[in-house]
């Protein structure tokens, strides 16, 4: 009896605890705080060593650099610089710095910080490989006076101004203290000059910024930004609906199915805007199957890109035809996507020598069957579903495709080693692109040209365009380059997919620029 | 007995080295490394971000150009001095990562285990008394049904219907503390934590009832069929006394040794539960470090859990030896 009674007692205790703990604690939320969803925690917030997208977006409110891109025109404009001068030989870039700019800890910002940042970027002991690549051709950065710096380039390059002007700048007096840069304590306690300053990092939970009272520019209306780390997108959407988040990026299915109720529309804005990105299927031209450009064309014509876009991504996106961002000035809109036309594709394949000569249902040429493997990243649901559709569609014309799924780390390794037949992937581009790393024949061994695209005319255009400072001429050159790429079909270009963002209607003046959203201009509506 | 214990302790050392060496070997041999992973995110690379020479240079920085055996020896030497190194991802000490994640996972797991024990043992005893009756079958059916429900599904349903948004708003949507946690007094803090723990703990426990209650039922049935139970009944003891004083106490022994083997399990977090409830525990830490090839963290977690597993097994063996004279006897020979 004793025993059961004790048990009952335990149960009662537990129930009591549960009941009391259900009492809700109401806290008044500060309307001037903006809650932003992030799906993963950045490692740290040092703009020199971190290249995570989340870290850069947070850093853009803390750190500043010499030049910035205008939100609407995307042209470069001064940020920490007042003006700049370019030498006639296009090798020296001189920046005049704004005076009276202070780091968050009150120390003044000077040319020394820039010289130090550059030294760190080039330091082989600093783990920043993805950034170092961009500064290979910058030979030196000199301080001419406390408020003048000069960058020297190894050769003329049309993106040099942007690369010099967007150099990540960290405070020398904080980081140059003799400790290891990669593990410096301020990597997780950034000190910048921007409109917000860092205040707290609750590991695994939140990152918090407050407005920088000493900011040199226009002070934002939003006083505090809290980035909340929520790994699960369904949970994040529910938090948004509950009012615990103000901004989040949606997945296509959430955009189409879960955010259309009147109630939702009353409380939230929904924004869709494009960003420099496209995805594609890359055909490894070193594989004899994909050597012939006509075969690659036929493969593109076997893929019903519009139908796949409609069914897998709910039509949220645009079919693209070439290697530039679709809203970039270089993109050649005269080129129309190759049509979905299996009959014609089969005809092209037959002309290229592929036919089913032994009657086994699979095309062959010189005794080699048309069999290959598509390599995909296992966590990408889109790639998984795309691959399944392709497999079926290809099978209908006698092409046998296998699917290999790899974990992301292994996948990158395979691509890096060029160990694949065909691969599906996306490129996130910069606002102003240079096709050199992706398409120049010198990059087939160690660069990003892993599909072995080699074309003499393309090489020439790429090389000349790098030295061409007249934007109009460059546009002409790059549009021709786009034509060549379209004709060669080294990739089957798929889609440029938009960012899908929801923002609480607690805020006013929420504008969608070409560059996206800018929290610093939002106004808090006070009911 | 002393000799037995000494022998057992000595076996732990080579086993530990074996486990950690194989782990290290596997991570080093696995394709992909932290540096090249930084060229992009899942399914998307940054244009122009791959450049072999610079990446090779960075790998040297982290000793990835050295042979595996040298790398392991260096790691082992540091670990013996209890230096687990720094994480590749954020440059923080590995120990700091574990110090953040461990209390969270421990509190979740301890709560879950207590609840599983509190509910499963009485259920098991009840089932053994009512063996093969309708009640016994219904309990088994329900427990096995619960056991078969996938946790991510249950977790999302719980959140959807009980945590606000479109339906009931009884529980928070994740995390372990409210935003205003710092302003609360100690009792409110405890209550706040419990309030946050209810849904994750529910998700972690419901599947565990089946195993433990079946286990209790089986050990109880073993004991009940012993002759000393018959003796107890024959000398006229009440059924309660027979069951709880004589039968249950004896069936506790296997349950206790089961607990010893659960020691390393306390450290392991559930990736699914942690990611759905936004709880930064050991599961996510281990999972993310493996995906990003963050060797220092992977090695620290493996070596700590290997060590605890070995200690757990050691304790279980000792407990058996104490409880069972036959094992003790064998050990002294």
């Amino acid at each position: 009896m004793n025993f059961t009674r004790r048990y009952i007692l335990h149960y009662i205790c537990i129930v009591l605890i549960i009941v009391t703990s259900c009492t809700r604690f109401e806290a008044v939320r500060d309307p001037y705080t903006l809650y932003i969803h992030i799906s993963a925690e950045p490692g740290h917030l040092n703009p020199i060593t971190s290249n995570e997208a989340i870290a850069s977006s947070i850093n853009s409110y803390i750190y500043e650099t010499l030049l910035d891109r205008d939100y609407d025109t995307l042209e470069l404009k001064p940020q920490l610089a007042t003006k700049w001068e370019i030498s006639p030989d296009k090798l020296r870039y001189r920046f005049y710095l704004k005076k009276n700019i202070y780091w968050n800890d009150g120390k003044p910002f000077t040319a020394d910080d820039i010289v130090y940042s550059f030294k760190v970027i080039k330091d082989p002991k600093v783990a920043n490989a993805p950034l170092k690549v961009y500064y290979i051709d910058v030979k030196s950065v000199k301080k001419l006076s406390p408020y003048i710096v000069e960058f020297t380039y190894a050769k003329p390059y049309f993106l040099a101004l942007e690369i010099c002007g967007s150099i990540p700048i960290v405070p020398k007096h904080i980081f140059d203290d003799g400790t290891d840069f990669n593990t410096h304590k301020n990597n997780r306690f950034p000190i910048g000059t921007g409109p917000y300053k860092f205040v707290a990092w609750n590991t695994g939970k939140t990152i918090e910024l407050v407005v920088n009272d000493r900011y040199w520019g226009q002070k934002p209306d939003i006083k505090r930004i809290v980035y909340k780390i929520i790994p699960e997108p369904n949970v994040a959407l529910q938090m948004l609906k509950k009012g615990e988040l103000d901004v989040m990026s949606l997945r296509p299915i959430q955009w189409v199915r879960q955010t259309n109720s009147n109630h939702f529309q009353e409380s939230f804005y929904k924004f869709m805007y494009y960003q420099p990105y496209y995805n594609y299927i890359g055909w490894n031209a070193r594989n004899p199957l994909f050597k012939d450009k006509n075969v690659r064309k036929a493969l593109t014509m076997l893929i019903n890109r519009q139908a796949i876009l409609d069914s897998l991504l709910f039509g949220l996106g645009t079919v693209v035809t070439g290697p530039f961002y679709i809203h970039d000035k270089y993109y050649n809109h005269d080129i129309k996507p190759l049509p979905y036309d299996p009959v014609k594709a089969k005809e092209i394949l037959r002309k290229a020598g592929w036919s089913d000569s032994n009657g086994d249902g699979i095309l062959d040429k010189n005794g080699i069957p048309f069999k290959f493997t598509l390599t995909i990243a296992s966590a990408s649901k889109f790639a998984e579903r795309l691959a399944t559709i392709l497999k079926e569609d290809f099978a209908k014309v006698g092409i046998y495709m296998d699917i290999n799924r790899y974990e992301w780390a292994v996948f990158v390794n395979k691509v890096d080693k060029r160990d694949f037949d065909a691969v599906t992937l996306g490129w996130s581009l910069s606002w102003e692109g240079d096709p050199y790393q992706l398409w120049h024949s010198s990059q087939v061994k160690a660069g990003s040209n892993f599909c072995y695209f080699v074309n003499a005319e393309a090489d020439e255009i790429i090389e000349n365009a790098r030295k061409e400072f007249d934007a109009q001429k460059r546009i002409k050159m790059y549009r021709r380059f786009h034509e060549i790429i379209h004709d060669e079909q080294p990739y089957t270009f798929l889609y440029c997919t938009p960012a899908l963002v929801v923002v609480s209607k607690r805020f006013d003046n929420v504008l969608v620029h070409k560059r996206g959203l800018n929290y610093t201009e939002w106004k808090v509506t006070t009911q | 007995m002393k000799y037995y214990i000494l022998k057992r302790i000595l076996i732990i050392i080579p086993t530990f080295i074996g486990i950690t060496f194989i782990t290290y070997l596997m991570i080093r041999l696995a394709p992909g490394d932290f540096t090249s992973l930084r060229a992009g995110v899942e399914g998307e690379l940054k244009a122009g971000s791959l450049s072999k020479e610079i990446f090779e240079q960075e790998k040297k920085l982290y000793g990835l150009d050295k042979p595996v055996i040298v790398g392991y020896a260096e790691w082992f030497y540091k670990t013996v001095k209890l230096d687990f190194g720094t994480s590749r991802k954020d440059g923080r000490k590995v120990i700091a990562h574990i110090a953040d994640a461990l209390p969270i996972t421990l509190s979740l797991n301890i709560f879950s285990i207590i609840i599983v024990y509190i509910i499963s043992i009485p259920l098991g005893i009840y089932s053994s008394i009512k063996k093969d009756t309708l009640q016994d079958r219904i309990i088994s059916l329900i427990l096995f049904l619960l056991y078969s429900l996938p946790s991510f599904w249950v977790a999302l349903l719980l959140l959807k219907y009980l945590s606000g948004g479109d339906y009931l708003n009884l529980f928070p949507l994740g995390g372990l503390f409210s935003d205003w946690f710092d302003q609360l007094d100690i009792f409110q803090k405890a209550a706040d934590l419990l309030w946050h723990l209810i849904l994750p703990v529910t998700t972690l426990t419901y599947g565990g009832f089946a195993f433990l209650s079946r286990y209790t039922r089986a050990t109880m049935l073993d004991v009940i069929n012993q002759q000393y139970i018959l003796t107890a009944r024959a000398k006229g003891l009440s059924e309660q006394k027979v069951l709880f004083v004589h039968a249950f106490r004896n069936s506790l022994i296997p349950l206790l040794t089961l607990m010893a083997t659960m020691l390393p399990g306390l450290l392991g977090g559930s990736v699914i539960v942690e990611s759905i409830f936004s709880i930064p525990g050991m599961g996510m830490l281990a999972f993310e470090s493996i995906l990003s090839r963050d060797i220092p963290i992977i090695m620290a977690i493996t070596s700590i859990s290997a060590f605890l597993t070995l200690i757990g097994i050691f304790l279980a063996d000792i407990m058996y030896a104490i409880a069972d004279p036959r094992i003790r006897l064998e050990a002294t020979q």
Side-chain angles (χ1 to χ4, degrees), chain B residues 75-327:
Chain B
W75 174 84
F76 190 78
Y77 177 66
K78 274 192 184 167
T79 306
V80 171
K81 294 190 298 182
L82 288 180
D83 172 12
F84 288 106
T86 51
S87 155
R88 290 289 316 268
K89 186 186 174 204
D90 55 11
R92 284 167 74 213
K93 290 258 176 249
V94 171
I95 272 305
H97 275 278
I98 292 178
D100 275 347
L102 193 59
I104 294 173
T105 299
L106 271 182
S107 53
L108 268 180
N109 285 348
I110 288 174
F111 266 106
S112 313
I113 288 174
I114 291 175
I115 290 175
V116 169
Y117 267 75
I118 288 181
I119 293 181
S120 307
I121 291 178
L123 275 179
I125 296 173
Y126 184 78
S127 294
S128 68
I129 301 167
K130 303 271 176 183
K131 181 173 173 271
D132 294 337
T133 59
L134 186 65
Q135 290 99 312
D136 180 28
R137 300 233 162 99
I138 290 175
I139 289 174
S140 316
L141 180 74
I142 293 173
L143 292 183
F144 280 109
L145 264 179
L146 286 176
Y147 176 71
S148 65
L149 299 177
S151 59
F152 72 91
W153 181 71
V154 171
L156 285 174
L157 283 187
L158 285 175
L159 283 179
K160 189 172 164 72
Y161 290 103
L162 299 179
S163 295
D166 300 327
Y167 301 91
L168 286 178
N169 188 3
L170 299 177
F171 296 105
L173 261 170
L176 284 180
F177 313 104
S178 300
D179 293 342
W180 48 89
F181 190 73
D182 292 337
Q183 300 147 24
L184 304 176
D185 65 47
I186 179 87
F187 292 106
Q188 286 172 319
K189 274 186 178 163
D192 186 64
L193 177 66
L194 276 175
W195 183 46
H196 281 80
L197 279 175
I198 291 174
L199 295 186
V201 167
T202 309
T203 318
L204 281 171
T205 46
Y206 73 83
F209 300 144
F211 172 70
L212 197 65
S213 69
R214 291 268 104 187
Y215 195 84
T216 315
R217 181 179 178 273
T219 50
M220 271 298 275
L221 284 175
D222 262 0
V223 177
I224 285 175
N225 292 328
Q226 300 288 328
Q227 285 179 338
Y228 62 82
I229 298 294
L230 198 67
T231 316
R233 286 204 177 113
K235 74 177 178 181
L237 289 179
S238 72
E239 191 60 18
Q240 299 293 341
K241 261 215 161 105
V242 171
L243 284 176
F244 290 105
V245 178
H246 294 275
F248 180 65
R249 283 200 181 160
N250 281 302
S251 71
L252 266 179
I253 297 163
L255 288 175
L256 285 176
T257 47
L258 189 71
M259 272 187 114
T261 54
M262 277 161 70
L263 191 63
L266 282 177
L267 284 184
S270 154
V271 178
I272 293 170
V273 170
E274 285 176 15
S275 74
I276 291 179
F277 291 101
S278 319
I279 299 170
M282 294 291 282
M284 290 282 273
L285 183 66
F287 184 64
E288 282 176 359
S289 61
I290 291 170
L291 289 188
S292 64
R293 307 287 191 264
D294 200 338
I295 297 180
I297 294 196
I298 304 175
M299 287 309 292
I301 293 178
T302 337
S303 51
I304 292 172
S305 49
F307 185 71
L308 283 180
T309 311
L310 293 172
I311 296 290
I313 293 173
F314 172 71
L315 286 180
D317 281 354
I318 300 288
M319 275 199 232
Y320 268 127
I322 291 167
D324 194 333
R326 283 165 299 182
I327 295 176

Side-chain angles (χ1 to χ4, degrees), chain A residues 17 43 49 51 127 129 238 408, chain B residues 38 41 58 89-90 159 164 194:
Chain A
I17 291 170
T49 44
N51 73 330
Q238 208 175 332
W408 181 241
Chain B
R38 296 213 302 167
V41 290
E58 188 169 312
K89 186 186 174 204
D90 55 11
L159 283 179
L194 276 175

Side-chain angles (χ1 to χ4, degrees), chain A residues 103-130:
Chain A
W103 294 102
N104 295 154
D105 63 350
K107 296 264 165 40
F109 157 77
T110 66
D112 290 324
D113 296 312
I114 302 172
V115 173
Y116 170 73
S117 300
F118 177 72
K119 197 187 97 196
V120 172
I121 290 172
K122 291 287 229 181
D123 186 346
K125 285 209 180 71
V126 172
N128 62 343

Side-chain angles (χ1 to χ4, degrees), chain A residues 23-122:
Chain A
T23 2
R24 298 245 295 289
F25 314 98
E26 293 301 334
V28 187
R29 247 189 57 173
D30 169 26
Y32 287 89
T33 303
L34 173 69
Y35 290 87
I36 301 172
H37 168 238
I38 53 178
S39 56
E41 183 171 25
H44 54 75
L45 292 171
N46 183 326
I48 289 181
T49 44
S50 174
N51 73 330
E52 296 162 287
I54 289 170
S56 347
S57 96
I58 299 175
N59 273 336
S60 68
Y61 292 96
I62 303 172
Y63 283 105
E64 289 178 305
T65 180
L66 296 168
L67 306 179
D68 190 26
R69 271 189 190 278
D70 189 272
Y71 269 83
D72 293 306
T73 62
L74 297 179
E75 295 300 320
L76 291 171
K77 60 171 193 186
Q79 193 171 42
L80 290 180
T82 50
K83 58 171 184 174
W84 64 86
E85 282 163 7
I86 304 172
S87 68
D89 60 1
K90 313 276 187 195
L91 291 178
R92 279 171 296 131
Y93 294 80
R94 190 175 290 183
F95 293 90
Y96 295 82
L97 311 185
K98 283 198 176 101
K99 286 174 191 165
N100 299 322
I101 303 273
Y102 295 94
W103 294 102
N104 295 154
D105 63 350
K107 296 264 165 40
F109 157 77
T110 66
D112 290 324
D113 296 312
I114 302 172
V115 173
Y116 170 73
S117 300
F118 177 72
K119 197 187 97 196
V120 172
I121 290 172
K122 291 287 229 181

Side-chain angles (χ1 to χ4, degrees), chain A residues 102 104 192-197 210-216 219-220:
Chain A
Y102 295 94
N104 295 154
T193 59
Y196 288 92
K197 61 182 182 190
V210 291
V211 76
N212 177 4
D213 292 326
R214 306 172 62 174
Y215 187 53
W216 57 272
K219 284 193 195 75

